[in-house]
Amino acid sequence: MSGAVFYIFGATGDLAKRKLFPAFYSLYREGKLGENFAVVGLARRPRTNDQFRDDVKNSIEDFARYKITDDGEWDRFAERFEYMSLDINNVAGFHDLNVLTTKLDEKYQTGGNRLFYLALAPELFGNVSYNLSEGGLLETKGWHRLVIEKPFGYDLPSAERLNAQLRQVFEEKDIYRIDHYLGKEMVQNIEFVRFANAFFEPLWNNKYIANIQITLSETVGVEERGGYYDHSGALRDMGQNHMLQMLMMMAMEPPSRLHPEDIRDEKVKVLRSLRLFESGDDVRANVVRGQYATGSSRGKDLPAYREEDSVNPESTTETYFAARVHVDNFRWAGVPFYIRTGKRLPVKTTEVVVEFKNIPNNVYLAKKHDLEPNLLVFRVNPMEGIYLKMNAKQPGSEGVIVPVAMDFCQSCQIGINTPEAYERLLYDATRGDSTYFTRWDEVALAWSYVDRIAAAWAEQSSDLKHYPAGSWGPVEATELLSQDGFKWWPINGQHEGEVDWAAVQKTTVLT
Ligand SMILES: NC(=O)C1=CN([C@@H]2O[C@H](COP(=O)(O)OP(=O)(O)OC[C@H]3O[C@@H](n4cnc5c(N)ncnc54)[C@H](OP(=O)(O)O)[C@@H]3O)[C@@H](O)[C@H]2O)C=CC1
Ligand SMILES: O=C1O[C@H](COP(=O)(O)O)[C@@H](O)[C@H](O)[C@H]1O
């Protein structure tokens, strides 16, 4: 790396603690940051440099993949962390910040490169970018990049306003909008598996694929984020970003070059092909929304969403949604994409299932046997791997056909220690690779799609279904598929003949 000063706005917050400091440490340990860098932590509360370095150390001890060693390496890393108390609304503080970083530029020979990471509440994003410019922080001769957390707006109009604010200061090419799902190994692997295998790409269309199912299920409730979540809901929190991003990775055409803009152009074409819902009835026929009621999981009683901290006791915010999505282009015409996500479901799993069409039923074997469809499953989270379900003769039988599995368990080989999404994304932003960040037109089109659903829900709330915490969500989500002659495939450890995931090695901390 050529060198840079990194600024973490929101350095005392949860994201910095759980994700960003550990990501810096892993990158440092792997030599990806080099030695020419400094990190400036920024937030309002007072902290000395030593206190801040202790915070960073604690976070690394709790969350990093690497163990801290005592060979002097930690000291070299920690001395690069400085803290400055700053209210982002106070422009004078930005001038002081510029003075501090000019010194760091010289000390660590960073070439004037600056990366500003906004781990802040979204309403503060616009002010920071304006004050960075006012404070003179963008006047060095190196590059200046803005990394910005989700959510990027609440709907299309608010996202447009935010984008206009940022664009007054930064060019689009220098804005890195995070969707951490794009940093996940198996989400990135989708395009490699698709485009690098002769036996998948020719089948990747409506002639051979019956449907695609994307499930992002969580066992947690809203935890301490009730205030944010009650305003957002599952559609905005997960649908507008992570779920549509995975759908784009599955549906995009092969890019002509592996260049960030070519890949993002292909993804945008998918969003442009989404069939937009035309009315409230159309939304209700294709989208199911739910909210968890009291329930239980593994013998533990769980409260209802409306009983959670900072949640309106009469809230109609959805904690679950499932949708039937159509991509109206030549490749996907007639193939439904089913997407679902929810809090307080039975397992924490993200999986993408491709269900292939059955072989013609006039074939002798298909007539005689009740054949299961072939499945290709991308296991994204927390276990990583690829699973292929096919039919084969039961050994020793007289032609009995049974489903068998080919299971590539990435997590079994390397533990669940693949680089964290944030490591990958931070490294990419440092290198100026924007492939796995969302471009403005992606964000805008995703909001246009989601806003129609939200508008229909705002009109009437009687279609909100309550599901017991710890269950698989409203029964209407099952009907969404059965109407088309399909079913949700079981996820996470429930396929026949697959790896025993429970036996898979737990995280190993690297030394
Ligand atoms: N936490 C997570 O797992 C995830 C978070 N995100 C996103 O990341 C962003 C940060 O989230 P998270 O870390 O959880 O939030 P927190 O509330 O934990 O942290 C917010 C940070 O902002 C600082 N801050 C607040 N107001 C100001 C101000 N006026 N001037 C300077 N600093 C200020 C706070 O410090 P102080 O009070 O000292 O000023 C604190 O460091 C959000 O956009 C969130 O949506 C996205 C995905 C996951
Ligand atoms: O962005 C978000 O994602 C998390 C789920 O991420 P994962 O990597 O743990 O699958 C979700 O809990 C949160 O509500 C949402 O804001």
Side-chain angles (χ1 to χ4, degrees), residues 10-16 18 43-45 86-89 119-122 124-125 149-151 422:
T12 54
D14 180 69
L15 185 73
R18 287 194 307 111
R44 287 167 305 183
R45 71 196 75 167
L86 172 91
D87 186 326
I88 59 99
N89 300 307
L120 292 166
L124 302 176
F125 293 164
E149 265 300 335
K150 66 168 274 250
Y422 278 92

Side-chain angles (χ1 to χ4, degrees), residues 225-281:
R225 297 171 72 216
Y228 152 75
Y229 196 88
D230 206 31
H231 183 59
S232 160
L235 180 68
R236 292 186 171 89
D237 187 47
M238 302 288 239
Q240 187 270 348
N241 36 70
H242 310 324
M243 306 216 69
L244 286 181
Q245 286 294 337
M246 285 193 283
L247 188 148
M248 284 184 255
M249 298 297 277
M250 293 299 287
M252 69 191 240
E253 294 297 316
S256 46
R257 292 175 308 163
L258 279 181
H259 183 273
E261 295 316 321
D262 294 301
I263 294 172
R264 300 198 296 183
D265 285 347
E266 294 306 335
K267 286 168 63 194
V268 163
K269 285 184 202 162
V270 175
L271 289 178
R272 288 208 194 101
S273 307
L274 292 183
R275 187 184 302 168
L276 298 177
F277 298 111
E278 285 176 358
S279 63
D281 286 344

Side-chain angles (χ1 to χ4, degrees), residues 55 83 112 117 126 149 191 194 205 208 261 320 373 377 400 403 418:
D55 292 345
Y83 183 83
Y117 197 118
E149 265 300 335
E191 61 182 308
R194 279 188 57 188
N205 55 53
Y208 298 102
E261 295 316 321
Y320 175 101
V377 181
V400 175
T418 53

Side-chain angles (χ1 to χ4, degrees), residues 150 180-181 184 218 225 237-238 242 343 348 381:
K150 66 168 274 250
H180 78 276
Y181 261 71
K184 289 190 190 279
E218 297 191 273
R225 297 171 72 216
D237 187 47
M238 302 288 239
H242 310 324
K343 303 245 182 233
K348 165 74 182 163
N381 195 20

Side-chain angles (χ1 to χ4, degrees), residues 192-241:
F192 293 93
V193 170
R194 279 188 57 188
F195 302 137
N197 288 299
F199 51 80
F200 287 135
E201 184 46 31
L203 305 184
W204 213 259
N205 55 53
N206 55 5
K207 201 167 167 203
Y208 298 102
I209 291 179
N211 70 79
I212 292 181
Q213 305 178 10
I214 302 175
T215 298
L216 207 162
S217 79
E218 297 191 273
T219 48
V220 290
V222 289
E223 315 299 291
E224 295 86 34
R225 297 171 72 216
Y228 152 75
Y229 196 88
D230 206 31
H231 183 59
S232 160
L235 180 68
R236 292 186 171 89
D237 187 47
M238 302 288 239
Q240 187 270 348
N241 36 70

Side-chain angles (χ1 to χ4, degrees), residues 234-235 239 275-290 318 320-326 337-341 449-457 460 462-465 474 476-481 483 488:
L235 180 68
R275 187 184 302 168
L276 298 177
F277 298 111
E278 285 176 358
S279 63
D281 286 344
D282 198 12
V283 167
R284 281 178 279 283
N286 289 287
V287 189
V288 173
R289 61 167 160 162
E318 79 289 352
Y320 175 101
F321 83 94
R324 176 172 33 218
V325 179
H326 283 282
F337 286 70
Y338 302 106
I339 61 178
R340 63 175 166 170
T341 184
Y449 186 74
V450 157
D451 280 354
R452 287 177 180 236
I453 303 174
W457 287 351
Q460 82 175 59
S462 57
D463 56 332
L464 180 74
K465 310 290 173 199
E476 286 77 2
T478 308
E479 288 161 10
L480 206 56
L481 276 74
Q483 289 159 2
W488 291 106

